[in-house]
Amino acid sequence: MKRGLSKYFGPGPLIAAAFIGPGTVTVCTLAGVNFGYDLLWALVLSIITTIILQESAARIGLVTQVGLAANISKTIRTAGMRYFSITLVLLAIVLGNAAYEAGNISGGSLGAELFFELGSISFFKLEINLMNFLIGCIALFLLFSGSYKLITKILTLLVILMSLAFLLGALMVKPMLLDLLKGMVPRIKTENIITIVALIGTTVVPYNLFLHSSLVSEKWKSIQDLKFVRFDTMLSVILGGIVSMAIVITGAAGSAMEVSNATDLAKGLEPLLGSVAKYFLAFGLFAAGITSAVTAPLAGSLVVTGCFGWSSKINGKPMKWSIGLILGLGLMFSSLGIKPVQLITIAQLANGILLPLLSGYVIWLVNKKSLMGEFQNSWFLNLLSVIVWLITLLLGALSVMKVFDLL
């Protein structure tokens, strides 16, 4: 019975862990603080968009038994276009993930420091936060364990605990059902469009497509397992979306207008929930940081090994060197005195360029008869996919414009 149930659960929790990072916690909290429940509909849209893209990427991984990066190398025939595509993917994913990694580590550290502080040490021109270093070491230990199963089990536990922390916070503020339903009705205004882009952008993450397509083949080997892949994908993305909604609901009950640390997240809630509020949110922020600190270098390393045709075995040298590079860059960036928001802005620029290109490539690939056979997209899935691609194109354009202050 246990073995039968295990077939339904795969890398989905890692995908949820990847998009519920400190950036998501901050964006969702500010959405709640500034707009109440008005933007819950944007998270519903992001859940639908993410499910469609992640299911396509996972199906490609199951049918081909290799990840998206490897498929880029083998399906783009023109040498110039192939090298351009691989270079763009490597730069965007590796540098973008290193920037996200710095934000993940710093965000997790902010949560942990509400329980205890470790201080910092100076090393040449770097100011090394010891909590950042500890979180980086924990992530490195898990990734160097050489076991996808161990990583999945630990991250699944952390995701469950993180979800409970945020869900309990939302339940304790006792939201009105009618108000929640009103928040499901789309409202787009000049003042909330940037937040809408941020809410959807923190859920639809390009590197998750690479991560998912690669990890699916580690769990499932037969095309008959497609129903399990879809169940795992839908369950994880929907639950992740519900957690994001819970953060919005919790933020709406507070009064903090600026979020720079876990204390800011909690201070507006203390009149309602007491001092326990900050510990709920602090643990949630810590768990969000550490889970994303594991998935970001893992995804980046799978991209590197896939692009060059190297082994993606987690205990192999190519994966270990790639993991060490991305995690090391993340730690270095987090020690340069650059604010996490600035680091995430750099990653947003990379994602803004990559997301429409990558989603378009996924849609093209999943319709390739020679590759997918009878498991290519139906006309209905293609209709949904085109709508999703237009959304990613708009998101990408708005993200780039936001970085250059054109909005």
Side-chain angles (χ1 to χ4, degrees):
M1 182 69 177
K2 186 177 179 182
R3 175 172 285 188
L5 283 174
S6 70
K7 292 281 284 185
Y8 284 89
F9 303 99
L14 272 70
I15 305 307
F19 73 72
I20 306 176
T24 302
V25 175
T26 300
V27 168
C28 290
T29 300
L30 285 177
V33 168
N34 296 327
F35 304 106
Y37 303 150
D38 286 357
L39 300 184
L40 288 176
W41 66 268
L43 286 172
V44 174
L45 176 61
S46 72
I47 291 169
I48 296 169
T49 302
T50 304
I51 286 174
I52 292 169
L53 285 175
Q54 293 294 158
E55 188 278 335
S56 295
R59 187 160 21 116
I60 291 167
L62 182 66
V63 171
T64 64
Q65 286 294 293
V66 293
L68 284 180
N71 276 301
I72 288 175
S73 295
K74 73 178 186 180
T75 56
I76 299 179
R77 302 296 183 187
T78 309
M81 182 59 70
R82 183 168 64 251
Y83 294 138
F84 170 77
S85 301
I86 290 172
T87 301
L88 178 64
V89 166
L90 282 172
L91 285 174
I93 293 292
V94 173
L95 291 179
N97 278 23
Y100 270 128
E101 184 69 354
N104 294 332
I105 290 170
S106 299
S109 178
L110 289 174
E113 285 178 347
L114 251 75
F115 295 96
F116 60 93
E117 292 189 26
L118 295 179
S120 61
I121 58 172
S122 297
F123 182 74
F124 291 102
K125 293 186 177 181
L126 299 180
E127 188 71 21
I128 300 174
N129 182 304
L130 292 177
M131 186 65 76
N132 285 4
F133 185 74
L134 178 61
I135 289 174
C137 288
I138 293 171
L140 191 67
F141 172 77
L142 281 175
L143 289 165
F144 277 18
S145 69
S147 171
Y148 282 118
K149 285 186 178 180
L150 176 64
I151 292 170
T152 301
K153 285 180 180 178
I154 292 176
L155 262 61
T156 299
L157 176 62
L158 280 171
V159 167
I160 290 170
L161 294 174
M162 172 184 68
S163 301
L164 287 174
F166 288 126
L167 290 171
L168 282 172
L171 289 173
M172 289 172 75
V173 301
K174 299 177 182 178
M176 297 294 291
L177 179 60
L178 183 60
D179 292 335
L180 295 179
L181 292 175
K182 287 179 180 177
M184 301 297 176
V185 180
R187 296 182 183 87
I188 301 176
K189 303 175 184 176
T190 306
E191 59 267 27
N192 68 15
I193 191 166
I194 294 297
T195 307
I196 292 170
V197 171
L199 283 173
I200 301 175
T202 57
T203 310
V204 188
V205 184
Y207 78 73
N208 254 353
L209 299 174
F210 288 98
L211 182 64
H212 205 177
S213 63
S214 295
L215 293 183
V216 157
S217 62
E218 295 287 335
K219 170 69 178 181
W220 295 286
K221 301 296 181 183
S222 169
I223 194 61
Q224 304 305 317
D225 293 327
L226 182 58
K227 61 182 179 182
F228 305 128
V229 174
R230 284 173 167 163
F231 177 84
D232 181 58
T233 301
M234 290 185 67
L235 179 66
S236 300
V237 174
I238 290 171
L239 288 179
I242 290 172
V243 171
S244 295
M245 289 181 184
I247 300 170
V248 172
I249 292 167
T250 306
S255 59
M257 296 305 292
E258 182 180 349
V259 177
S260 60
N261 55 51
T263 305
D264 292 335
L265 296 180
K267 68 182 181 183
L269 291 170
E270 289 203 35
L272 285 172
L273 308 182
S275 60
V276 71
K278 68 180 180 183
Y279 295 110
F280 272 122
L281 292 171
F283 178 79
L285 190 61
F286 166 72
I290 201 163
T291 52
S292 296
V294 172
T295 54
L298 178 60
S301 302
L302 289 168
V303 170
V304 172
T305 54
C307 284
F308 290 108
W310 297 335
S311 169
S312 61
K313 296 294 181 183
I314 196 166
N315 55 359
K317 285 185 178 180
M319 281 291 290
K320 286 187 173 181
W321 277 105
S322 302
I323 286 169
L325 172 66
I326 295 170
L327 215 160
L329 283 173
L331 272 174
M332 185 182 73
F333 289 162
S334 68
S335 301
L336 290 175
I338 305 172
K339 294 180 180 178
V341 172
Q342 294 172 317
L343 294 166
I344 290 171
T345 298
I346 297 169
Q348 281 179 335
L349 177 60
N351 283 353
I353 297 169
L354 189 63
L355 183 58
L357 293 174
L358 183 57
S359 57
Y361 179 73
V362 168
I363 294 167
W364 171 73
L365 203 62
V366 84
N367 279 288
K368 200 171 176 61
K369 180 77 173 177
S370 61
L371 191 73
M372 300 298 293
E374 62 181 294
F375 296 98
Q376 66 186 118
N377 266 6
S378 63
W379 70 267
F380 180 68
L381 279 176
N382 273 331
L383 177 62
L384 291 178
S385 297
V386 169
I387 294 171
V388 163
W389 182 78
L390 291 173
I391 291 170
T392 63
L393 184 64
L394 178 63
L395 279 174
L398 291 173
S399 296
V400 173
M401 290 170 70
K402 178 186 173 186
V403 169
F404 290 104
D405 291 325
L406 298 177
L407 281 178

